[in-house]
Amino acid sequence: MSRLSLAALTVIAVLLSGCGKETMPEPSASTCAPDAFQKFMSELRDEANRIAFADACKSFNKAKSMRDWEFKPSPADDF
């Protein structure tokens, strides 16, 4: 194997490995809870990931609040 092809394979391997790419946590009840949310926000270094995570948690909490409901009976009729 020539030095050029070995160098090319090394460069390709480094590019494909995704070095330094941080992953955003999945929005869930445990990651979007206020204390956990602040912890994950402080751990994210990339501003785009912070914004995406905040938006995902906001959407998750909005959907959760729409699913949670409580039966409220109508007031009694007084004819």
Side-chain angles (χ1 to χ4, degrees):
M1 196 178 277
S2 71
R3 288 184 183 208
L4 181 58
S5 62
L6 184 60
L9 287 175
T10 304
V11 169
I12 291 171
V14 169
L15 290 175
L16 292 178
S17 68
C19 294
K21 184 177 180 182
E22 67 182 1
T23 58
M24 186 179 75
E26 290 291 323
S28 66
S30 61
T31 58
C32 291
D35 293 337
F37 178 78
Q38 290 301 324
K39 177 183 155 262
F40 284 115
M41 286 295 282
S42 66
E43 290 176 358
L44 292 172
R45 293 183 307 261
D46 188 18
E47 185 66 24
N49 284 348
R50 278 193 213 116
I51 292 169
F53 181 63
D55 288 344
C57 276
K58 182 179 178 183
S59 177
F60 176 83
N61 288 330
K62 176 81 172 178
K64 184 179 175 208
S65 71
M66 292 174 76
R67 288 190 307 264
D68 296 338
W69 63 277
E70 178 181 324
F71 177 74
K72 295 179 185 175
S74 299
D77 290 335
D78 194 21
F79 293 112

